[in-house]
Amino acid sequence: MPSESATAGRLAALGRRLAEWRPLWAPLPFQHREPPWRGAHGGLAETLLSLPDAEVERLQADPFVDSPLPAWLPVRELAELSRLPILSNARQSLPADWGEGIGARKWRQIQAFVAGMGAIEDERLVEWCAGKGHLARTLARCHGVPVTGLEHQPSLCEAGQALADREGLPVRLHAQDVLAPGAGDWLAPGHRVAALHACGDLHAQLLEWAAERGAAVSLAPCCYHRTAATDYRALSRQGRALMAEQGLRLTREDLAMAVQETVTAPRGHRRHRQRANAWRLGFDLLQREARGRDAYLPVPSLAYGRLPEDFAGFCRWAAERKGVELPASVDWGAFEAAGWRRLAEVSRLELVRQLFRRPLEVWLALDRVARLEEAGFRVRLGTFCERALTPRNLLIETL
Ligand SMILES: C[S@@+](CC[C@H](N)C(=O)[O-])C[C@H]1O[C@@H](n2cnc3c(N)ncnc32)[C@H](O)[C@@H]1O
């Protein structure tokens, strides 16, 4: 169980590493022909670029195990500082018919989340950003208590209410924007708010209300970068003081790194994404030449299944979107091959960011823990499931 001083100590230690190594983890290799740190850390770049494909894939999945990088980067310390206890001991699953109408992966996440939550004793339950209230229904069944769900989309509330009614469960879904001024009225001492995968501002607002109203919280945060602010302002006083003292700056783009992981994507989707990325990199080289400007040009991403048939079609689409005039004749094969070569380099250089990804996520979680501790709560932080089930597997819970 972290104490307030343990939280502060770890926040400080992680923050120091993040601030010190920011010049290496913040730049996106995708956007630079050469990483800006290459001159100062040539040996690191050479080591990364010489890694075989299988080693790259292994390190993407687990950057701390048998890393070839401790000569350059604080691998062991980062692994140690981001290690967390496992909070869910659930091996036993809930009755399969409770999961009807819920996607298989989401149902497994819900079971793990519910098992990771501590005992619910005389608490009134609220689900924050409930969607169709799948978690709310499961909590109502597990604990035999009424659950209130808050969700801003009326259509989801209606569909979720129909499911709960059909199953005769004491769940009430309310169309509520949780960012609206009155949302805190749903919270009071004796209430526990459960939030599974609530994004940036949505869960940050929950913590503010919980702190103000004295409601308990069980939160699995998600998408830290979905915020109105472009620069991160720590939620806790300690976090703000340490950021200032350590010179740690985090932009919204930096926060996105905390959730950049593909472990749960099916193989077919991963292959599709690789092709899309190679083509984007190939187009990047082409547009630099066509515009006569050696600068990255962001191209919007395409939904799965929307990628044009071939590389030339992709480049024509991207050029039109970005108003780039392509030359009359292009050696498509050469640019496509260059794109694939760039992708091989980029995925190797990305391993530096991969090493700081979980430490950043744990730092953000600790900032949330500190916010709650400053409001007087005792808090635990750990994981509620394996990363393969969802990489967003942190659970922050007040006791
Ligand atoms: C990532 S989903 C999580 C849903 C559910 N907890 C789950 O794990 O499947 C986020 C949900 O928050 C809802 N949402 C987004 N903005 C909201 C807001 N301002 N107020 C209330 N709900 C919101 C979305 O409609 C969506 O159902």
Side-chain angles (χ1 to χ4, degrees), residues 106 127 129 131 151-153 156 176-178 196-197 202:
K106 182 51 77 179
E127 186 186 2
C129 300
E151 161 60 49
H152 77 150
Q153 285 196 48
L156 291 179
Q176 169 71 53
D177 174 358
V178 300
L196 173 58
H197 295 161
L202 303 178

Side-chain angles (χ1 to χ4, degrees), residues 168-185:
L169 295 169
V171 168
R172 279 272 136 236
L173 289 171
H174 296 270
Q176 169 71 53
D177 174 358
V178 300
L179 299 177
D185 293 345

Side-chain angles (χ1 to χ4, degrees), residues 86-99:
I86 299 167
L87 299 181
S88 173
N89 51 11
R91 285 282 162 267
Q92 165 194 358
S93 45
L94 297 172
D97 59 331
W98 291 12

Side-chain angles (χ1 to χ4, degrees), residues 35-187:
W37 47 264
R38 187 164 186 167
H41 303 271
L44 171 60
E46 296 318 315
T47 301
L48 288 166
L49 292 173
S50 63
L51 290 174
D53 285 348
E55 188 69 347
V56 175
E57 212 169 301
R58 187 185 70 74
L59 289 164
Q60 280 168 342
D62 204 337
F64 295 120
V65 174
D66 294 332
S67 168
L69 308 179
W72 295 277
L73 298 168
V75 179
R76 263 182 293 276
E77 266 177 297
L78 292 172
E80 191 52 43
L81 287 168
S82 33
R83 187 163 299 137
L84 291 171
I86 299 167
L87 299 181
S88 173
N89 51 11
R91 285 282 162 267
Q92 165 194 358
S93 45
L94 297 172
D97 59 331
W98 291 12
E100 263 169 36
I102 308 178
R105 183 179 288 278
K106 182 51 77 179
W107 174 231
R108 284 169 56 217
Q109 292 171 7
I110 287 175
Q111 292 178 78
F113 184 81
V114 169
M117 285 173 70
I120 307 294
E121 277 160 22
D122 299 328
E123 285 180 314
R124 300 182 63 135
L125 296 178
V126 176
E127 186 186 2
W128 196 254
C129 300
K132 290 186 190 168
H134 296 322
L135 173 63
R137 289 200 313 286
T138 310
L139 287 169
R141 283 181 145 132
C142 286
H143 302 289
V145 293
V147 185
T148 301
L150 306 178
E151 161 60 49
H152 77 150
Q153 285 196 48
S155 60
L156 291 179
C157 292
E158 272 165 40
Q161 192 61 56
L163 285 173
D165 293 347
R166 199 173 66 203
E167 296 164 15
L169 295 169
V171 168
R172 279 272 136 236
L173 289 171
H174 296 270
Q176 169 71 53
D177 174 358
V178 300
L179 299 177
D185 293 345
W186 295 98
L187 276 63

Side-chain angles (χ1 to χ4, degrees), residues 14-31:
L14 273 170
R16 207 172 302 122
R17 303 297 175 288
L18 288 167
E20 182 184 352
W21 294 97
R22 193 175 187 282
L24 274 81
W25 63 256
L28 292 156
F30 211 90
Q31 298 186 356

